[in-house]
Amino acid sequence: AIAVGIGVVNEKVIDEVNIYEATKIAMKEAIVNTNIKLEHVLIDAMPLDIDVPTTSIIKGDANSISIAAASVIAKVTRDRMMYELDEKHPEYGFAKHKGYPTKLHLENIKKYGVLENYRFTYKPVRDLIEKEVDKDVQKV
């Protein structure tokens, strides 16, 4: 690669604009963070409104080596973020499940509660929060 740019959008922005729009924001940030003038951008499936010509490829990670490489970089970046979170909150097991809603992860959320960095609009988390609110209402 001539350059690599990474874009990260936090959970509050994702909750505010939705995961699809947040992905576009992160992609634009990644483009800026390449620190080079791009001639063309390949995108996995979605359109992106930028000042550079783009090609949106359905199943891009399977049909373009460049998009596949970007997917690997994104996954490794996210995994590293989960390892850092695991150091702060080892009881949640982020190093093992990487933040995905596995049975273990959902059990740990029930046991230890929802952290501030969770996406509260994400269905598994939202459902757990709603159940807790329902329990509290029934107690009153």
Side-chain angles (χ1 to χ4, degrees), residues 55-116:
T55 300
S56 181
I57 301 172
I58 302 298
K59 298 187 180 186
D61 56 346
N63 294 309
S64 164
I65 192 74
S66 297
I67 294 174
S71 294
V72 170
I73 291 167
K75 174 75 170 112
V76 169
T77 299
R78 185 180 186 282
D79 286 354
R80 287 180 180 160
M81 293 169 70
M82 292 294 105
Y83 292 133
E84 290 173 12
L85 194 56
D86 189 70
E87 289 180 16
K88 293 179 185 175
H89 303 283
E91 67 275 16
Y92 285 83
F94 288 106
K96 184 172 183 178
H97 56 66
K98 309 293 188 301
Y100 294 104
T102 63
K103 182 179 177 184
L104 172 66
H105 189 189
L106 294 175
E107 288 172 0
N108 288 341
I109 294 171
K110 289 175 189 174
K111 186 174 181 179
Y112 302 111
V114 176
L115 295 170
E116 63 192 33

Side-chain angles (χ1 to χ4, degrees), residues 1-126:
I2 295 170
V4 173
I6 295 177
V8 176
V9 176
N10 71 37
E11 67 285 345
K12 289 171 184 56
V13 172
I14 297 170
D15 278 346
E16 184 180 315
V17 301
N18 74 48
I19 192 70
Y20 183 81
E21 293 302 322
T23 299
K24 290 180 179 182
I25 293 168
M27 290 183 349
K28 289 177 181 180
E29 183 180 318
I31 289 167
V32 168
N33 288 337
T34 62
N35 294 316
I36 64 170
K37 185 176 181 339
L38 300 176
E39 296 176 11
H40 196 94
V41 176
L42 301 178
I43 306 165
D44 191 0
M46 63 177 55
L48 191 63
D49 185 26
I50 57 175
D51 294 333
V52 177
T54 64
T55 300
S56 181
I57 301 172
I58 302 298
K59 298 187 180 186
D61 56 346
N63 294 309
S64 164
I65 192 74
S66 297
I67 294 174
S71 294
V72 170
I73 291 167
K75 174 75 170 112
V76 169
T77 299
R78 185 180 186 282
D79 286 354
R80 287 180 180 160
M81 293 169 70
M82 292 294 105
Y83 292 133
E84 290 173 12
L85 194 56
D86 189 70
E87 289 180 16
K88 293 179 185 175
H89 303 283
E91 67 275 16
Y92 285 83
F94 288 106
K96 184 172 183 178
H97 56 66
K98 309 293 188 301
Y100 294 104
T102 63
K103 182 179 177 184
L104 172 66
H105 189 189
L106 294 175
E107 288 172 0
N108 288 341
I109 294 171
K110 289 175 189 174
K111 186 174 181 179
Y112 302 111
V114 176
L115 295 170
E116 63 192 33
N117 64 332
Y118 279 100
R119 294 179 358 216
F120 297 121
T121 57
Y122 185 56
K123 186 169 176 18
V125 173
R126 187 181 69 228

